[in-house]
Amino acid sequence: MTTQPDEIKVEVKNLTKYFGNLHVLDDISFNIKKGEFVCVVGPTGCGKTTFLNLLTRIYSPTRGDLFIDGESADPKKHNLAFVFQEPSAFPWLTVEKNLRFGLEIKKLPKDVIDERTEMIIKMLGLQELRNSYPHQLSVSSEQRIIIGRAFAMNPDLLLMDEPYGQMDVKLRFFLEDEVIRLWQELGTTVVFITHNIEEAVYMAQRILILSTKPTTIKEEVIVDLPRPRRFDDPKFVAIRNAVTEKIKWW
């Protein structure tokens, strides 16, 4: 993965959200470098999903803004791809057609669509499943479609909202490694929302710890560990414990 280490891809500036009188997010500001992998953690009910929905422009902020490459984020201009916890493969489309779908909506040239689709199919080992439908696949294979479809868009910002929350440990570990491999090879900028602190330490370059509502960023934690990471590495355990302490006492 080749990126410019100091190049700012995303700037979140004074992001604030009210729903009526409910103050959910309070003046959140941070930057994300191009190609950076950032995880967001926080206590239950702190507004993590609201935070993501503001980044995707599903909601509009009460105050503040999100900038991509110095411009206010606009889904019509920027590729804001996302992966949610619930299965979202189109059941009437094959694996290959699911992967092509977003690219065709964007009206990219056919040769670009063909090239990107083939790249993702090979990277995720879906060659033998390309003509299968989602209901014919295992849970992990179906989620690989969703992940691949998002990465195929070559997004300016990829947002992932607890995409493995309903899976068992073995499947989660497998898909975490798949995402890390795709991220390293494609250089995508990723914001990954999770309630699983161990998952955050395993995947992230940087962790943003959110407070309770009205939510602010309580702390940023740099995860400067080599990959592949080991759960029994004393440094891994120390970071996991430090992040846990920041959350459980709220």
Side-chain angles (χ1 to χ4, degrees):
M1 181 180 63
T2 58
T3 62
Q4 299 298 318
D6 296 321
E7 184 177 349
I8 299 300
K9 183 68 176 178
V10 178
E11 181 184 11
V12 176
K13 191 171 182 179
N14 306 120
L15 194 64
T16 300
K17 183 63 177 177
Y18 284 84
F19 291 100
N21 293 324
L22 179 62
H23 190 182
V24 180
L25 300 181
D26 183 30
D27 198 35
I28 290 178
S29 297
F30 64 94
N31 295 331
I32 304 176
K33 297 175 184 177
K34 184 176 181 180
E36 189 175 17
F37 198 121
V38 176
C39 281
V40 179
V41 300
T44 300
C46 72
K48 293 189 292 294
T49 298
T50 298
F51 177 77
L52 182 139
N53 287 337
L54 285 165
L55 297 185
T56 59
R57 297 313 215 206
I58 291 174
Y59 298 150
S60 296
T62 304
R63 290 193 302 273
D65 205 351
L66 165 70
F67 300 91
I68 296 176
D69 295 327
E71 297 182 273
S72 183
D74 181 352
K76 295 179 181 179
K77 181 187 300 182
H78 301 111
N79 287 326
L80 301 176
F82 41 87
V83 177
F84 295 116
Q85 182 173 330
E86 297 78 13
S88 58
F90 300 119
W92 60 90
L93 297 179
T94 63
V95 168
E96 180 176 346
K97 289 181 178 178
N98 260 282
L99 294 173
R100 297 175 68 91
F101 181 82
L103 303 173
E104 291 173 346
I105 290 294
K106 289 283 186 179
K107 300 186 185 301
L108 296 180
K110 184 179 182 301
D111 60 334
V112 173
I113 295 173
D114 291 344
E115 181 181 355
R116 287 198 200 171
T117 301
E118 286 302 314
M119 175 186 68
I120 294 295
I121 285 175
K122 290 176 182 177
M123 289 180 70
L124 290 177
L126 294 169
Q127 293 95 324
E128 295 182 3
L129 301 174
R130 66 191 308 143
N131 294 316
S132 300
Y133 289 87
H135 74 272
Q136 299 173 307
L137 305 177
S138 66
V139 174
S140 64
S141 292
E142 184 175 359
Q143 193 69 347
R144 272 190 288 167
I145 298 173
I146 310 309
I147 294 165
R149 192 172 66 193
F151 274 97
M153 295 297 293
N154 191 22
D156 293 302
L157 179 61
L158 173 58
L159 302 137
M160 308 185 75
D161 188 10
E162 302 194 34
Y164 316 131
Q166 297 178 346
M167 297 183 183
D168 63 36
V169 172
K170 184 176 180 179
L171 286 179
R172 193 174 75 239
F173 286 168
F174 171 73
L175 288 170
E176 286 170 355
D177 286 339
E178 290 288 282
V179 167
I180 290 169
R181 184 164 60 84
L182 282 171
W183 163 72
Q184 289 177 320
E185 293 192 26
L186 300 177
T188 304
T189 304
V190 180
V191 175
F192 191 104
I193 307 288
T194 181
H195 69 279
N196 187 315
I197 297 169
E198 192 163 70
E199 180 173 65
V201 178
Y202 186 72
M203 301 187 78
Q205 293 176 298
R206 182 163 52 112
I207 299 172
L208 303 181
I209 304 174
L210 301 185
S211 72
T212 51
K213 289 196 287 280
T215 300
T216 61
I217 295 178
K218 185 177 180 69
E219 191 167 328
E220 297 186 9
V221 177
I222 303 298
V223 186
D224 187 18
L225 296 174
R227 298 184 190 274
R229 292 174 179 171
R230 293 175 46 236
F231 294 101
D232 61 350
D233 181 342
K235 293 181 179 179
F236 184 104
V237 174
I239 294 172
R240 183 195 65 197
N241 291 346
V243 174
T244 301
E245 287 295 320
K246 294 292 182 182
I247 294 175
K248 73 178 185 178
W249 294 114
W250 279 325

